[in-house]
Amino acid sequence: MSENMANKKTIGTKQKILKVSSTLFSEYGYKATSVRKIASEVGIRESALYNHFKNKEEIFLCVAKEIFTTPFSQNDSDIKESALKGKAFLQKFAMQYKLLTFDKNNENMFRLLMIELFQNKELREQFMNEFHNENIKVLSEAFFIMMQNSLIRSADPMMVAYEFLSTLFYIRLQITLLRFDSGSTTNLSTQFEKHVEFFWESIRV
Amino acid sequence: MSENMANKKTIGTKQKILKVSSTLFSEYGYKATSVRKIASEVGIRESALYNHFKNKEEIFLCVAKEIFTTPFSQNDSDIKESALKGKAFLQKFAMQYKLLTFDKNNENMFRLLMIELFQNKELREQFMNEFHNENIKVLSEAFFIMMQNSLIRSADPMMVAYEFLSTLFYIRLQITLLRFDSGSTTNLSTQFEKHVEFFWESIRV
DNA sequence: GTCTATATTTGGATAGAC
DNA sequence: GTCTATCCAAATATAGAC
């Protein structure tokens, strides 16, 4: 409780290191981010960093841990209920996805994920498990329920989930790319909604 | 003509540098690939590299140039003809995409693109233009023709193209990720075909 | 916990002999 | 064109004073 405020200096520094590192790693990647730059932006000397972290990699792992901590899923009973709403469920799901896309912190973590995806085997596995499989699971359960209730045409629920998710991912990637260059995303920002519209027309009975 | 064979040593070395660099860059990215490693794998000293390229960046640019040189498009008359075939056109397009996904050289270039996408503004622009827009253009023209001929339901052709392309991209990314870890892609390898099946059912009248 | 100073490694690049 | 030798800069990390 009082740990948060107790010796603010220590905790503050460690948190500041993580915040700065998070920004730098997600902008330049692991290799191109030097501890020098981190220390400099935090406002301390490099040697002082090592009072808080064993080495550069430990800082990175600490930052990377947050990539997949975004709670995003709904519990099972929630799904069953939501799925019965058909299109509204898809809208809700897509809106959550859109929210993450435009959330500053999630945006950074998504970029970091993309940058390090082919450099880090563990990230690849987490991407597959927690990013892909987790979403597929939720979605295919929902689509299964919709099929049972004849809201949508009959098909492999996993396949439908895959189709729905892949486009969400692609939209997110494109938006993140544009925002990285401070480009306008006005055209793309409605893409999530359009996707739901198109997709619902594609599957409804 | 005889340039290919004339002084094979010189040309051979330059080509070998590019080949080795291509592999290393697409595995570790620009920053994490050292000229030392390149020279070592080529079998020459670092200093000898500089007889062929001005510096490391020039090597990279030379390699990166090949990312978007994959001929993939068909000419316009071809499209009009193919589009009339409806589903067969989609199958053909998806098969070309699949071929690129599993082609060793294209696979490397795709990985390099993904690794450097957020590190290199020019690559981002090329990705948007030559990778995304080019495909969207071809596809939306085809879908437009299909709509005119009442082969598919009426909708925004660009939107339909976007939906079709995004899933292809996602499949490619997943397969490339799995293959990087020497994982099995048997489940995913039929995903392209399944995608076409599902998508055609979604849009046909 | 932070600083100065320093050790050590790695990486990009050049000069000049052969 | 390639080699040896060398330089210089940048980066990770540690030791010890304050």
Side-chain angles (χ1 to χ4, degrees):
Chain A
M1 321 199 121
S2 71
E3 206 181 40
N4 280 340
M5 298 310 237
N7 45 350
K8 178 139 192 175
K9 205 152 232 165
T10 302
I11 305 230
T13 300
K14 184 155 188 170
Q15 286 312 116
K16 196 167 181 189
I17 293 170
L18 287 175
K19 195 184 164 207
V20 165
S21 303
S22 174
T23 306
L24 290 174
F25 281 138
S26 68
E27 186 145 5
Y28 306 109
Y30 179 78
K31 191 81 186 183
T33 299
S34 66
V35 296
R36 228 159 256 199
K37 192 83 189 289
I38 296 173
S40 151
E41 294 222 353
V42 170
I44 57 175
R45 299 290 173 177
E46 293 140 76
S47 54
L49 279 180
Y50 294 90
N51 285 318
H52 304 279
F53 297 93
K54 207 183 74 191
N55 52 29
K56 183 184 174 183
E57 192 179 355
E58 196 182 82
I59 302 178
F60 176 78
L61 291 177
C62 221
V63 169
K65 238 183 15 198
E66 292 192 27
I67 295 179
F68 294 102
T69 51
T70 317
F72 178 89
S73 49
Q74 359 197 0
N75 63 48
D76 275 11
S77 61
D78 240 23
I79 293 170
K80 285 205 182 71
E81 201 184 329
S82 289
L84 289 171
K85 294 179 191 149
K87 185 178 175 183
F89 170 85
L90 297 187
Q91 283 169 329
K92 188 176 166 195
F93 193 94
M95 278 317 101
Q96 287 189 339
Y97 211 91
K98 181 177 181 176
L99 238 53
L100 294 183
T101 303
F102 284 97
D103 171 68
K104 200 75 201 131
N105 191 47
N106 270 286
E107 188 185 9
N108 284 346
M109 290 303 102
F110 183 76
R111 236 174 26 226
L112 180 55
L113 174 64
M114 287 297 104
I115 292 175
E116 296 297 326
L117 196 54
F118 279 102
Q119 319 270 334
N120 190 316
K121 179 159 179 163
E122 207 179 320
L123 278 186
R124 283 193 290 282
E125 284 164 0
Q126 285 187 292
F127 173 77
M128 285 299 190
N129 293 329
E130 301 178 40
F131 211 94
H132 177 76
N133 291 340
E134 196 55 41
N135 280 324
I136 290 290
K137 183 167 159 271
V138 172
L139 285 171
S140 55
E141 281 179 24
F143 286 125
F144 179 70
I145 292 170
M146 292 184 208
M147 287 175 202
Q148 279 188 316
N149 289 270
S150 301
L151 294 173
I152 62 175
R153 66 182 164 90
S154 186
D156 176 11
M158 289 256 290
M159 186 64 208
V160 184
Y162 195 95
E163 293 276 326
F164 186 70
L165 181 64
S166 59
T167 302
L168 290 180
F169 177 85
Y170 194 74
I171 299 172
R172 182 173 191 177
L173 178 62
Q174 275 208 316
I175 289 179
T176 308
L177 280 172
L178 281 176
R179 279 163 66 89
F180 197 43
D181 293 320
S182 311
S184 164
T185 52
T186 38
N187 285 335
L188 273 166
S189 64
T190 58
Q191 199 75 6
F192 286 109
E193 290 87 339
K194 288 189 197 162
H195 170 52
V196 173
E197 289 299 323
F198 177 88
F199 201 80
W200 182 251
E201 286 304 309
S202 300
I203 59 173
R204 74 188 178 86
V205 286
Chain B
M1 323 197 119
S2 70
E3 207 182 39
N4 280 340
M5 299 308 239
N7 46 351
K8 178 138 189 173
K9 206 154 235 166
T10 300
I11 305 229
T13 300
K14 184 154 188 169
Q15 286 312 115
K16 196 167 179 186
I17 293 171
L18 286 174
K19 196 184 161 205
V20 165
S21 303
S22 174
T23 307
L24 290 174
F25 281 139
S26 68
E27 185 146 7
Y28 305 109
Y30 179 78
K31 189 84 183 178
T33 299
S34 65
V35 295
R36 231 154 252 200
K37 190 89 190 284
I38 295 173
S40 150
E41 293 221 355
V42 171
I44 58 175
R45 297 291 173 178
E46 291 142 75
S47 53
L49 280 180
Y50 294 89
N51 286 316
H52 305 279
F53 297 92
K54 207 183 74 190
N55 52 29
K56 183 185 175 183
E57 192 179 355
E58 196 181 83
I59 303 177
F60 177 77
L61 291 177
C62 219
V63 169
K65 239 183 16 201
E66 292 192 29
I67 295 178
F68 295 101
T69 51
T70 317
F72 178 88
S73 48
Q74 358 196 1
N75 63 48
D76 275 11
S77 62
D78 238 25
I79 293 171
K80 285 204 182 69
E81 202 184 327
S82 287
L84 290 171
K85 294 178 190 150
K87 184 177 176 184
F89 170 84
L90 297 187
Q91 282 169 329
K92 190 178 163 194
F93 192 95
M95 277 316 100
Q96 287 188 339
Y97 211 92
K98 180 177 182 177
L99 238 52
L100 295 183
T101 303
F102 284 97
D103 170 68
K104 199 77 201 131
N105 192 45
N106 270 286
E107 187 185 9
N108 284 346
M109 289 303 102
F110 182 76
R111 234 174 27 226
L112 180 53
L113 174 64
M114 287 297 103
I115 292 175
E116 296 297 326
L117 196 53
F118 279 102
Q119 320 270 332
N120 191 316
K121 179 159 180 164
E122 208 179 320
L123 278 186
R124 282 192 291 280
E125 284 163 1
Q126 286 187 293
F127 173 76
M128 284 300 190
N129 293 329
E130 303 179 39
F131 211 95
H132 177 76
N133 292 341
E134 195 55 41
N135 280 323
I136 290 291
K137 182 168 160 272
V138 172
L139 285 172
S140 55
E141 280 178 24
F143 285 126
F144 178 70
I145 292 170
M146 291 185 209
M147 287 175 200
Q148 280 189 313
N149 288 273
S150 300
L151 293 173
I152 62 175
R153 65 180 163 92
S154 186
D156 175 11
M158 290 255 289
M159 186 63 208
V160 184
Y162 196 96
E163 293 277 325
F164 186 70
L165 182 64
S166 58
T167 302
L168 291 180
F169 177 86
Y170 193 74
I171 299 172
R172 182 173 190 177
L173 178 61
Q174 275 209 315
I175 289 178
T176 308
L177 280 171
L178 280 177
R179 280 163 66 89
F180 198 45
D181 294 320
S182 311
S184 164
T185 53
T186 39
N187 285 335
L188 273 167
S189 64
T190 58
Q191 198 75 7
F192 287 108
E193 290 86 341
K194 286 190 200 161
H195 170 53
V196 173
E197 289 298 324
F198 177 87
F199 200 81
W200 182 250
E201 286 303 309
S202 301
I203 59 174
R204 73 188 178 86
V205 287

